[in-house]
Amino acid sequence: MQPTSESIINTSIKNKPTEKKALSRRPNKSVASSYILKASNYGIYPHLISRQALQVVEKLQKHGFEAYVVGGCLRDLLLNKTPKDFDIATNARPEQIQKIFQRQCRLVGRRFRLAHILFGKEIIEVATFRAAHDDVNNDKFAKQSAAGMLLRDNVYGTLEDDAARRDFTVNAFYYNPNKDQLYDFFNGLKDLRAGRLMLIGNPVQRYQEDPVRMLRAVRFMAKLDMFLDKQCEQPIYELAPLLQNIPAARLFDESLKLLQTGQGEKTYLLLYKYQLFQQLFPALMPFFTEKGDSFTEKMLLKSLRSTDERIADNLRINPAFIFAAFFWYPLRERIEVLKNEGGLNNFDAYSLASNDLLHLICQRVAILRRHTATIRDIWSLQLLFTKRTGKRPQLTLEHQKFRAAYDLLAMRAEIEHGETIELAAWWYEYQQSNTAQRNELIQVQQKRYAENDREKKRRPRRRYRSQNRKRKTASVTNK
């Protein structure tokens, strides 16, 4: 029987040196051997590693290079979780990796040069050992902005140097499957046991180098149920605005990892606590209240809970849905403003409002075009749901994005109540009915529309007559 993660981590503390108060960015090479552990004693075995990742490690080692399975996949295995992917670290340069794997390899990234080894749909990411930038002044290899952010990070070094460049102690594990060796330079096992998330090095400097580390800290806190060490926590409140310097495309990718991997609600609450959510979605902030009870905030929580539940049930999720839900009420307010102030009809107001709002969102989080098209469909179907006569209901039902749009309508009904509940109930019944029953639902609806039209036609006549009577009375009095 393999040991449990708790027994593994407890055992590791006995075998590990005592934790230092400050985490050095450069481990002492003379004592590096004391950080090499027997991996099988901690529940790490080759059969738990992706076969493709093992092939990459073996091939690099056969060509005379160092190669290790690295990072979060080892952390997940230590916690008895199933890793999503497996990464490799090596002292081979990207060009050397490409020479070894040839057509199977693709080099990506300028800021952080990586090799992707392709095995059909699976991609094994291979990174060359990184080192500090202290003695490098060549912009081709290392470059920082005035705010301290790394614009280029291609300074290569040793295994120990690379460990010091990792973000968190619990992500700084290295595994050599051929020698049954687990490297833990910064007491990551001890931090796992304590549930503590700790940055390697000076927190302010590490956040300045890459502000996305603040988002990663929140993601790991939610995913691993860990707490952030106080010295790593405090700088976030001050440095959160640095996220404005991150490319919008990268923030989109990070937003999906944060909100659509199963802990969305918990992640959102942490993001809001650390004032990071405001940096990702500033367009939502005018719709928040002190009590947290606005329609927009209620929709945020409902959509995140729904997404978390779908992921837990292994159901498919659409990345566009959560953005459509987040921004439905801001969109509706913009539509009303354009109708009242600009004199536009409902359709034109919708088109203009959706264009403006999506443009505003994408300035901070660059949503892919295929997702913005889906968002538009989900929004436009909310307007079409109100049209329940003739052939329109069947055309709406057959729309490719009907299911996602109906889910949003159902959430709106829970928030808004009133007429939206009746609308959601009608569409639920329409979905469950046969052709004859659907025709009957449409006929009942047509009668209601006809009655409402007759009522509307009566009202203006009465108002007109009463106004005429007032004018006649006034004229007689004046005479």
Side-chain angles (χ1 to χ4, degrees), residues 380-399:
S380 63
L381 282 167
Q382 304 305 305
L383 305 181
L384 293 177
F385 281 142
T386 60
K387 302 182 185 302
R388 293 177 280 172
T389 58
K391 296 181 180 180
R392 175 53 62 186
Q394 190 59 33
L395 292 173
T396 300
L397 182 65
E398 293 170 359
H399 195 286

Side-chain angles (χ1 to χ4, degrees), residues 259-353:
L259 302 174
Q260 301 195 25
T261 52
Q263 299 85 27
E265 182 182 2
K266 187 176 180 180
T267 303
Y268 158 66
L269 295 173
L270 286 169
L271 287 171
Y272 192 79
K273 172 187 174 182
Y274 290 111
Q275 299 173 16
L276 296 169
F277 189 82
Q278 295 87 321
Q279 301 300 326
L280 291 172
F281 304 108
L284 286 174
M285 291 306 104
F287 302 91
F288 278 39
T289 63
E290 290 184 6
K291 294 181 179 179
D293 59 353
S294 68
F295 279 3
T296 297
E297 289 164 286
K298 290 178 180 178
M299 180 61 79
L300 275 168
L301 290 172
K302 279 193 177 297
S303 58
L304 289 169
R305 285 170 191 158
S306 173
T307 301
D308 290 347
E309 289 168 2
R310 289 184 66 83
I311 292 171
D313 293 336
N314 293 317
L315 298 174
R316 286 184 60 188
I317 59 169
N318 189 329
F321 176 80
I322 210 153
F323 294 103
F326 277 15
F327 290 93
W328 166 249
Y329 290 110
L331 172 74
R332 200 166 75 173
E333 183 165 311
R334 281 173 177 262
I335 291 173
E336 291 304 314
V337 169
L338 289 171
K339 286 167 62 178
N340 295 332
E341 296 182 1
L344 299 179
N345 62 40
N346 210 35
F347 178 80
D348 290 341
Y350 158 77
S351 299
L352 184 57

Side-chain angles (χ1 to χ4, degrees), residues 19 59 73 80 159 197 200 225 304 316 322-323 353 367 369 411 416 438 466:
E19 185 180 13
K59 197 166 185 177
C73 59
N80 273 345
L159 171 63
L197 199 59
I200 298 171
D225 198 22
L304 289 169
R316 286 184 60 188
I322 210 153
F323 294 103
I367 304 172
R369 185 172 296 178
M411 290 180 187
E416 298 170 21
R438 288 176 181 176
S466 87

Side-chain angles (χ1 to χ4, degrees), residues 8 12 16 32-44 68-69 74-75 78 172-177 179-185 189:
I8 289 168
S12 72
K16 292 284 288 153
S33 59
S34 65
Y35 292 91
I36 302 175
L37 311 170
K38 189 173 182 180
S40 55
N41 288 345
Y42 300 89
I44 305 293
Y68 304 88
V69 180
L74 301 175
R75 174 203 67 220
L78 288 166
F173 298 113
Y174 296 77
Y175 172 53
N176 186 341
K179 293 186 177 181
D180 190 26
Q181 292 176 334
L182 180 68
Y183 292 75
D184 179 14
F185 294 104
L189 285 164

Side-chain angles (χ1 to χ4, degrees), residues 155-183:
V155 181
Y156 303 127
T158 65
L159 171 63
E160 291 85 351
D161 293 329
D162 191 70
R165 293 292 304 157
R166 296 270 153 186
D167 50 9
F168 298 99
T169 61
V170 296
N171 288 339
F173 298 113
Y174 296 77
Y175 172 53
N176 186 341
N178 296 322
K179 293 186 177 181
D180 190 26
Q181 292 176 334
L182 180 68
Y183 292 75

Side-chain angles (χ1 to χ4, degrees), residues 128-287:
T128 304
F129 295 153
R130 258 56 178 186
H133 297 187
D134 302 346
D135 302 320
V136 178
N137 295 313
N138 190 331
D139 283 358
K140 183 178 178 181
F141 303 106
K143 187 176 181 181
Q144 285 183 279
S145 70
M149 188 171 74
L150 294 179
L151 303 177
R152 194 161 293 124
D153 186 14
N154 293 309
V155 181
Y156 303 127
T158 65
L159 171 63
E160 291 85 351
D161 293 329
D162 191 70
R165 293 292 304 157
R166 296 270 153 186
D167 50 9
F168 298 99
T169 61
V170 296
N171 288 339
F173 298 113
Y174 296 77
Y175 172 53
N176 186 341
N178 296 322
K179 293 186 177 181
D180 190 26
Q181 292 176 334
L182 180 68
Y183 292 75
D184 179 14
F185 294 104
F186 295 105
N187 291 298
L189 285 164
K190 187 172 183 179
D191 286 338
L192 274 182
R193 180 179 181 275
R196 177 174 56 243
L197 199 59
M198 169 79 79
L199 277 164
I200 298 171
N202 182 287
V204 173
Q205 181 184 349
R206 301 316 302 277
Y207 289 143
Q208 288 174 334
E209 288 174 349
D210 186 2
V212 169
R213 286 181 178 135
M214 294 183 281
L215 299 179
R216 285 170 61 81
V218 166
R219 178 155 60 90
F220 292 138
M221 289 167 69
K223 176 183 176 182
L224 306 174
D225 198 22
M226 302 180 78
F227 69 91
L228 188 60
D229 187 84
K230 285 187 178 180
Q231 62 177 318
C232 304
E233 181 181 45
Q234 284 305 121
I236 293 180
Y237 296 99
E238 181 181 349
L239 300 177
L242 291 178
L243 287 172
Q244 297 174 27
N245 301 327
I246 300 298
R250 189 179 177 201
L251 287 183
F252 171 71
D253 292 336
E254 291 297 326
S255 70
L256 295 186
K257 295 176 186 177
L258 288 162
L259 302 174
Q260 301 195 25
T261 52
Q263 299 85 27
E265 182 182 2
K266 187 176 180 180
T267 303
Y268 158 66
L269 295 173
L270 286 169
L271 287 171
Y272 192 79
K273 172 187 174 182
Y274 290 111
Q275 299 173 16
L276 296 169
F277 189 82
Q278 295 87 321
Q279 301 300 326
L280 291 172
F281 304 108
L284 286 174
M285 291 306 104
F287 302 91

Side-chain angles (χ1 to χ4, degrees), residues 394-459:
Q394 190 59 33
L395 292 173
T396 300
L397 182 65
E398 293 170 359
H399 195 286
Q400 191 176 3
K401 303 305 177 186
F402 172 84
R403 188 66 225 182
Y406 175 76
D407 288 344
L408 178 57
L409 176 64
M411 290 180 187
R412 288 176 50 205
E414 293 179 25
I415 295 169
E416 298 170 21
H417 306 299
E419 293 180 359
T420 314
I421 291 180
E422 187 273 330
L423 187 63
W426 191 92
W427 277 103
Y428 177 80
E429 188 174 356
Y430 188 83
Q431 293 176 71
Q432 308 303 318
S433 300
N434 58 34
T435 303
Q437 291 168 332
R438 288 176 181 176
N439 289 334
E440 186 178 346
L441 284 169
I442 292 171
Q443 289 173 7
V444 169
Q445 197 61 39
Q446 285 175 333
K447 288 179 182 178
R448 288 180 183 174
Y449 285 154
E451 290 174 3
N452 289 338
D453 287 342
R454 284 195 294 270
E455 188 67 26
K456 287 178 182 177
K457 288 177 182 178
R458 289 175 192 156
R459 288 172 186 168

